[in-house]
Short mmCIF file of all heavy atoms in Angstrom, two decimals:
data_model
loop_
_atom_site.label_atom_id
_atom_site.label_comp_id
_atom_site.label_asym_id
_atom_site.label_seq_id
_atom_site.Cartn_x
_atom_site.Cartn_y
_atom_site.Cartn_z
N ILE A 1 0.86 -1.15 0.01
CA ILE A 1 0.01 -0.01 -0.03
C ILE A 1 0.89 1.24 -0.02
O ILE A 1 1.66 1.43 0.97
CB ILE A 1 -0.94 0.01 1.22
CG1 ILE A 1 -1.80 -1.18 1.26
CG2 ILE A 1 -1.72 1.32 1.25
CD1 ILE A 1 -2.65 -1.33 2.52
N HIS A 2 0.84 2.04 -1.07
CA HIS A 2 1.69 3.19 -1.18
C HIS A 2 0.89 4.45 -1.20
O HIS A 2 0.76 5.14 -2.22
CB HIS A 2 2.57 3.05 -2.39
CG HIS A 2 3.53 1.90 -2.35
ND1 HIS A 2 4.57 1.82 -1.47
CD2 HIS A 2 3.48 0.73 -3.02
CE1 HIS A 2 5.15 0.72 -1.65
NE2 HIS A 2 4.53 -0.02 -2.52
N GLU A 3 0.31 4.78 -0.08
CA GLU A 3 -0.47 6.01 0.06
C GLU A 3 0.31 7.03 0.79
O GLU A 3 0.91 6.79 1.80
CB GLU A 3 -1.80 5.67 0.82
CG GLU A 3 -2.71 6.81 1.04
CD GLU A 3 -3.39 7.24 -0.29
OE1 GLU A 3 -3.56 6.40 -1.20
OE2 GLU A 3 -3.64 8.45 -0.44
N GLN A 4 0.33 8.31 0.29
CA GLN A 4 1.17 9.33 0.87
C GLN A 4 0.66 9.74 2.23
O GLN A 4 1.45 10.07 3.12
CB GLN A 4 1.18 10.57 -0.04
CG GLN A 4 1.95 10.34 -1.30
CD GLN A 4 3.42 10.17 -1.07
OE1 GLN A 4 3.98 10.71 -0.17
NE2 GLN A 4 4.05 9.27 -1.86
N THR A 5 -0.64 9.71 2.44
CA THR A 5 -1.15 10.14 3.77
C THR A 5 -0.81 9.13 4.87
O THR A 5 -0.79 9.53 6.05
CB THR A 5 -2.67 10.30 3.68
OG1 THR A 5 -3.28 9.08 3.27
CG2 THR A 5 -3.06 11.41 2.78
N LEU A 6 -0.48 7.89 4.48
CA LEU A 6 -0.12 6.90 5.56
C LEU A 6 1.26 7.29 6.20
O LEU A 6 1.53 6.83 7.30
CB LEU A 6 -0.03 5.51 4.95
CG LEU A 6 -1.39 4.88 4.61
CD1 LEU A 6 -1.15 3.52 4.02
CD2 LEU A 6 -2.24 4.79 5.83
N THR A 7 2.07 7.98 5.53
CA THR A 7 3.31 8.46 6.12
C THR A 7 3.21 9.83 6.81
O THR A 7 3.75 10.05 7.84
CB THR A 7 4.44 8.56 5.08
OG1 THR A 7 4.05 9.46 4.06
CG2 THR A 7 4.76 7.22 4.46
N PHE A 8 2.38 10.67 6.25
CA PHE A 8 2.31 12.08 6.76
C PHE A 8 1.47 12.12 8.07
O PHE A 8 1.97 12.74 9.04
CB PHE A 8 1.59 12.92 5.72
CG PHE A 8 1.46 14.36 6.12
CD1 PHE A 8 2.56 15.15 6.19
CD2 PHE A 8 0.20 14.84 6.48
CE1 PHE A 8 2.42 16.50 6.59
CE2 PHE A 8 0.08 16.16 6.85
CZ PHE A 8 1.19 16.97 6.95
N VAL A 9 0.37 11.47 8.15
CA VAL A 9 -0.51 11.64 9.31
C VAL A 9 0.10 11.05 10.59
O VAL A 9 0.08 11.69 11.60
CB VAL A 9 -1.92 11.04 9.02
CG1 VAL A 9 -2.78 11.03 10.23
CG2 VAL A 9 -2.61 11.82 7.92
N PRO A 10 0.67 9.84 10.57
CA PRO A 10 1.29 9.33 11.79
C PRO A 10 2.46 10.19 12.27
O PRO A 10 2.61 10.42 13.51
CB PRO A 10 1.76 7.93 11.41
CG PRO A 10 0.89 7.56 10.28
CD PRO A 10 0.61 8.79 9.52
N LYS A 11 3.30 10.67 11.34
CA LYS A 11 4.39 11.57 11.76
C LYS A 11 3.86 12.83 12.40
O LYS A 11 4.38 13.28 13.37
CB LYS A 11 5.28 11.87 10.48
CG LYS A 11 6.21 10.87 10.08
CD LYS A 11 7.19 11.48 9.09
CE LYS A 11 7.45 10.53 7.96
NZ LYS A 11 8.30 11.10 6.98
N LEU A 12 2.85 13.40 11.78
CA LEU A 12 2.22 14.62 12.33
C LEU A 12 1.69 14.39 13.74
O LEU A 12 1.91 15.21 14.63
CB LEU A 12 1.14 15.09 11.36
CG LEU A 12 0.53 16.43 11.71
CD1 LEU A 12 1.52 17.56 11.58
CD2 LEU A 12 -0.68 16.68 10.79
N LEU A 13 1.02 13.26 13.92
CA LEU A 13 0.44 12.98 15.24
C LEU A 13 1.56 12.71 16.28
O LEU A 13 1.50 13.28 17.39
CB LEU A 13 -0.43 11.74 15.15
CG LEU A 13 -1.75 11.92 14.43
CD1 LEU A 13 -2.46 10.61 14.31
CD2 LEU A 13 -2.63 12.96 15.10
N VAL A 14 2.60 12.00 15.92
CA VAL A 14 3.65 11.72 16.85
C VAL A 14 4.42 13.01 17.18
O VAL A 14 4.73 13.23 18.39
CB VAL A 14 4.64 10.67 16.27
CG1 VAL A 14 5.93 10.57 17.10
CG2 VAL A 14 3.93 9.32 16.23
N ILE A 15 4.72 13.81 16.22
CA ILE A 15 5.35 15.10 16.50
C ILE A 15 4.53 16.01 17.38
O ILE A 15 5.00 16.69 18.32
CB ILE A 15 5.78 15.80 15.15
CG1 ILE A 15 6.92 15.03 14.52
CG2 ILE A 15 6.19 17.26 15.41
CD1 ILE A 15 7.29 15.51 13.15
N GLY A 16 3.23 16.02 17.12
CA GLY A 16 2.30 16.83 17.94
C GLY A 16 2.30 16.31 19.39
O GLY A 16 2.38 17.11 20.32
N ILE A 17 2.27 15.00 19.57
CA ILE A 17 2.30 14.47 20.94
C ILE A 17 3.61 14.77 21.65
O ILE A 17 3.64 15.18 22.80
CB ILE A 17 2.06 12.94 20.88
CG1 ILE A 17 0.63 12.63 20.47
CG2 ILE A 17 2.36 12.27 22.23
CD1 ILE A 17 0.33 11.20 20.13
N ILE A 18 4.68 14.67 20.95
CA ILE A 18 6.04 14.95 21.53
C ILE A 18 6.11 16.44 21.91
O ILE A 18 6.58 16.82 23.00
CB ILE A 18 7.19 14.60 20.59
CG1 ILE A 18 7.23 13.09 20.45
CG2 ILE A 18 8.51 15.13 21.08
CD1 ILE A 18 8.14 12.63 19.36
N LEU A 19 5.60 17.29 21.03
CA LEU A 19 5.63 18.76 21.37
C LEU A 19 4.74 19.09 22.61
O LEU A 19 5.08 19.91 23.40
CB LEU A 19 5.19 19.60 20.13
CG LEU A 19 6.27 19.71 19.06
CD1 LEU A 19 5.65 20.48 17.89
CD2 LEU A 19 7.48 20.43 19.57
N VAL A 20 3.60 18.41 22.68
CA VAL A 20 2.79 18.63 23.87
C VAL A 20 3.45 18.21 25.11
O VAL A 20 3.41 18.83 26.14
CB VAL A 20 1.41 17.91 23.68
CG1 VAL A 20 0.62 17.82 25.00
CG2 VAL A 20 0.57 18.58 22.60
N LEU A 21 4.11 17.04 25.07
CA LEU A 21 4.79 16.50 26.26
C LEU A 21 6.08 17.20 26.61
O LEU A 21 6.36 17.42 27.77
CB LEU A 21 5.07 14.99 26.05
CG LEU A 21 3.92 14.07 25.87
CD1 LEU A 21 4.36 12.67 25.59
CD2 LEU A 21 3.04 14.11 27.16
N THR A 22 6.84 17.65 25.65
CA THR A 22 8.18 18.25 25.93
C THR A 22 8.26 19.73 25.55
O THR A 22 9.33 20.33 25.65
CB THR A 22 9.30 17.46 25.22
OG1 THR A 22 9.11 17.59 23.83
CG2 THR A 22 9.32 16.02 25.68
N GLY A 23 7.20 20.29 25.04
CA GLY A 23 7.27 21.64 24.56
C GLY A 23 7.61 22.66 25.69
O GLY A 23 8.33 23.64 25.44
N GLY A 24 7.09 22.43 26.84
CA GLY A 24 7.38 23.32 27.97
C GLY A 24 8.85 23.36 28.35
O GLY A 24 9.43 24.41 28.59
N THR A 25 9.48 22.19 28.36
CA THR A 25 10.90 22.11 28.62
C THR A 25 11.69 22.76 27.52
O THR A 25 12.70 23.43 27.80
CB THR A 25 11.32 20.66 28.80
OG1 THR A 25 10.24 19.84 29.26
CG2 THR A 25 12.47 20.49 29.78
N MET A 26 11.30 22.49 26.31
CA MET A 26 12.01 23.13 25.16
C MET A 26 11.94 24.68 25.28
O MET A 26 12.95 25.32 25.07
CB MET A 26 11.49 22.65 23.84
CG MET A 26 11.72 21.24 23.50
SD MET A 26 10.94 20.80 21.99
CE MET A 26 11.61 19.21 21.65
N LEU A 27 10.79 25.17 25.55
CA LEU A 27 10.61 26.59 25.65
C LEU A 27 11.43 27.17 26.79
O LEU A 27 12.04 28.21 26.63
CB LEU A 27 9.11 26.91 25.86
CG LEU A 27 8.73 28.36 25.98
CD1 LEU A 27 9.13 29.13 24.72
CD2 LEU A 27 7.32 28.57 26.28
N GLN A 28 11.43 26.50 27.93
CA GLN A 28 12.26 26.95 29.08
C GLN A 28 13.69 26.98 28.73
O GLN A 28 14.42 27.98 29.14
CB GLN A 28 11.97 26.08 30.31
CG GLN A 28 12.62 26.57 31.59
CD GLN A 28 12.04 27.99 31.99
OE1 GLN A 28 10.87 28.19 31.95
NE2 GLN A 28 12.95 28.82 32.38
N THR A 29 14.18 25.98 28.09
CA THR A 29 15.63 25.94 27.68
C THR A 29 15.94 27.06 26.75
O THR A 29 16.96 27.73 26.90
CB THR A 29 15.92 24.55 27.00
OG1 THR A 29 15.56 23.52 27.82
CG2 THR A 29 17.37 24.49 26.65
N LEU A 30 15.05 27.32 25.77
CA LEU A 30 15.31 28.42 24.82
C LEU A 30 15.20 29.75 25.51
O LEU A 30 15.99 30.69 25.26
CB LEU A 30 14.28 28.32 23.66
CG LEU A 30 14.53 29.23 22.48
CD1 LEU A 30 15.86 28.97 21.86
CD2 LEU A 30 13.38 29.01 21.49
N GLN A 31 14.29 29.91 26.46
CA GLN A 31 14.21 31.20 27.17
C GLN A 31 15.42 31.44 28.03
O GLN A 31 15.90 32.59 28.13
CB GLN A 31 12.98 31.16 28.06
CG GLN A 31 11.69 31.37 27.37
CD GLN A 31 10.47 31.25 28.24
OE1 GLN A 31 10.55 30.72 29.32
NE2 GLN A 31 9.33 31.80 27.77
#
């Protein structure tokens, strides 16, 4: 199965979850 959305959507979801979990720490480090 070679559907483009099968690669895009899971990556987008995983990156979103990681940003929600670690975004505060990343922001604090940058600040």
Side-chain angles (χ1 to χ4, degrees):
I1 299 173
H2 297 290
E3 182 67 31
Q4 291 296 326
T5 56
L6 287 179
T7 59
F8 180 72
V9 173
K11 281 192 220 177
L12 185 65
L13 290 174
V14 168
I15 289 173
I17 290 170
I18 291 170
L19 284 176
V20 165
L21 294 176
T22 63
T25 331
M26 289 178 173
L27 180 63
Q28 186 63 43
T29 304
L30 191 58
Q31 285 176 341

